Amino acid sequence: MRSITILTLLALPALPWSAEVRSPDGDIRFSIEVDDVGAPYYEVDYRGETVTSQSRLGMRFQEQQPFDSGFRIVATHDDGNDTSWEQPWGERRTVVDRHNELLVEFATMDRPQRRFNVRVRVSDDGLGFRYEVPKQSGYSTVNIVDELTEFHLPGDATAWWIPGRRYNRYEYLYNTTDLEEIQTAHTPMTVRLLSGIHLSIHEAALVDYAAFVLDQRRPNVFQADLTPWSDGVRVKTKTPFHTPWRTIQIAPDAVGLLNSDLILNLNEPNVLGDVSWVKPGKYVGIWWGMHIGANTWGSGPTHGASTGETKKYIDFAAKHGIEGVLVEGWNSGWDGDWYSNGDVFSFTEAYPDFDLPELTAYAARKGVELIGHHETSGSITNYEKQMGDAYDLYESHGVHKVKTGYVADAGELKRVDDRGVAHYEWHDGQFAVNHHLRAVKEAAKRRISLNPHEPVKDTGLRRTYPNWITREGARGQEYNAWGEPPNPPEHTAILPYTRMLSGPMDFTPGVFDLTFKGADSPFRVQTTLAKQLALYVVLYSPIQMAADLPENYEQKPEAFQFIVDVPADWEESIALAGEVGDFVVFARKERGGEDWYLGALTDETARRLSIPLSFLDSDATRVAEIYRDGDSAHWKDDPYDIVIEERELSREDVLELALAAGGGAAIRFRMAE
Ligand code: NOJ
Ligand code: CA
C-alpha cells in the first residue's frame, strides 16, 4: 500500500511537524520531526520503551549552506515490502525482507532552497535510515565536513565496544563497560539496556562514503563521526547522492540480535549475475607456521611457501576433502621491513623456490585449488597498479580465491596522487571504502572471490557483490600466536554479538596444538580443544580455515573428523541461546543436505546448558556425533580433555551439555541409517 501526503505551505502550522513509521509487528516506532528552529530530529521506541531519544539529523558542507536548521517537512511517503530473496551462499538460503518504509522530504523556506530526504525502513528486528540528497540549485560537487546524525541512548546501559580510530584498526579486545566510559567506538557497537533490550548500532551498504565511528559528544549522545580523508574532508561527492543506512538492530534479548538479517536486507541485490563460481568451502594453508615462528614469509632456510611444502599441504587437503590451500609468502617483497613499506611487493613475481604453474596443476589433479595471497602492507597505489595483472595471473592458473592484507597502522594507508605525492588515509575512510570495491569488482571480472584482512568493516555488501566472500576485521586466531595478551576465553563469546553482526569473519579456527610454546608460556590458545571445534559452527564464514599444521591434525584424527565433516555453507542458521560475553549456542543446517550442526561455547566460566532439540526439522531419529569437554577439561589446566561419543536423539529430546571453563561443544546430527 502506498500513500503520498503533499503538505502545502499555506497549511503550515506553527508547531513542528512530525511523521512516524512502525515495524510490521508494531513493536518498533520511529518518529521524525523538526524543532522550533527547523532542526531535524528522530526518536525510536521499542514496546513503548525509549531506545533513542531526541537525536539530531543533518550534515554540513565545506562550501554550501548546512543541512542543520531552517527545515520543514514538506512531504511524506509511505511504502512497504514483504518479500524474500535467496542467498547464493550464506547463513540461510532464504532471507525474509518484511518492512515498512517512510520517506520524509525536508526543505527550507529560504532561497536558494536546500532540500534533503530521509528514508527509513523498519522491520521487526530493527531499522535503517539514510539521507538522500537530490540535486540542489547552484551546485553539484559537495565536500561533506560533518554528519550530524546522533544516537541518543538511554543512560544506565552496558556496552560492548572497541575504540574507534586507534592504530590497530578493528583488532582490539572488546570492552564491557557502562555507556559513559566510551569516547569513540567502532560499529557494530552492542548495548544492553537495563530492561534487557539489546541494541546494535551499525551501518549498511557503505559505498562511496566514509565509515563512521561513534563519538560520545555528550553523555549518552553518540555522533556518527565520519572518518576523514587526509585533507580533513569527510566525504567528497556530487548531488544527487545518498548515504549508507544508519542502522539500529533491536531485540528483546541477546539472542534476538543474532537472528537478524537487517544489514543484508538493507543492501542492494546481487549485481554480478551468475555467481555459481563463488564457492564456499574449507581451506588449510601455509600460514600458522609463520605466526608461531616455525616458518618465514621471506626467503631463507625456513621459507614456508616452497614448492615442496605447498605440495604437502595439497596432499593433506586432498586426503581430507578440503577444497583450498592458502599460500602466504610466495611473492617477492617479504624480505626486509615489509610492515612499514608495502611498495616492496610484487604481486606477479614468485620467489624462485615457489613454482605457481606447477603447483596449481598439481593441485588441480588432486581436486584442490590454491588460494592466492596479496599482502599490500597498506600501499594501496602500489597494489592498484598491479591489481589487474595480479588477478589475471591467478585467473590463468585457476586460482579463484585471494586473501588480501592491509597491515599498516590505521591512518597509514598510502595513496600516491597524480603528481606523485604520498598521502596517508584511514582504513575506513572514503578512499579505502572505494578501493575495496574497486578490488572486488576487478576480482569479479576474473571470477575471483576476495577475503581482505585489515579490511574496512563489513556493511553487508556481500549481498550485492557475492565474491566479497569473507574478511577479518577483528582480533582473530593469529593473536593466540603472538598477541600480548592472546584472546581471552570471553573473546569468542563476544564476537558473535558484536563484529559478527556485520557479516562473516575469517577468524581461522581449528588450532589443535593449543600449547605450542608450552603450557606455561603466555603464548598459547586460551580454549579447550572442543571449543576450537565449536568455533566452526559459531563463527560464521563461508570459507573456513583449518588453521593448524597438518602434523597436529594427524595426531588427533578423531577430533579432526569434525573439521572434515562440518560444512561452510548453510540452509538455515538459528541462534538458540546465549548472553553477550558469556556463552552462545548456534544450530545450523548444511546447505543441500539433511545434517544439522550445533556449536556451543562459553567464556572463562564453566556452565551447564539444557538445549531443546526442537530445531531439528523432522521427527527422524538422528545420530548425534558429540565432541565435548571431558570432566576435567579446563582451558588452562587440561585443554585436551575431550570426549567424542555418539547418541541417538530426536527433536523431542533436551540435550544436557557441560562446557568447561574456556570450553565448548560441537555436534553433528546425521540421520540414523
Ligand atoms: C595479517 C593477516 O591477518 C594475517 O592473516 C597474515 O598472515 C598477515 N597479515 C601477513 O599477510
Ligand atoms: Ca590481522
Side-chain angles (χ1 to χ4, degrees), residues 167-168 171-173 287-288 290-293 472 474-488 491 514 516-517 521-526 635:
Y167 87 95
N168 214 9
E171 297 177 15
Y172 287 93
L173 291 175
W287 180 76
W288 185 242
M290 274 86 91
H291 286 270
I292 59 174
E472 188 188 42
R475 249 178 171 245
Q477 183 92 273
E478 62 182 358
Y479 278 81
N480 295 331
W482 40 256
E484 296 181 50
N487 299 325
H491 183 59
L514 301 159
F516 46 88
K517 293 222 158 50
S521 167
F523 300 104
R524 56 173 286 177
V525 182
Q526 298 191 0
W635 73 265

Side-chain angles (χ1 to χ4, degrees), residues 598-646:
L598 184 141
L601 61 80
T602 178
D603 61 358
E604 67 287 345
T605 307
R607 61 187 88 228
R608 295 188 159 272
L609 302 175
S610 296
I611 304 166
L613 301 183
S614 50
F615 61 84
L616 293 169
D617 54 353
S618 77
D619 291 333
T621 301
R622 315 257 176 162
V623 178
E625 300 171 356
I626 302 172
Y627 303 72
R628 62 172 175 86
D629 294 322
D631 291 344
S632 72
H634 186 291
W635 73 265
K636 194 156 196 244
D637 310 323
D638 199 356
Y640 299 111
D641 182 20
I642 190 169
V643 174
I644 301 173
E645 63 188 2
E646 287 195 354

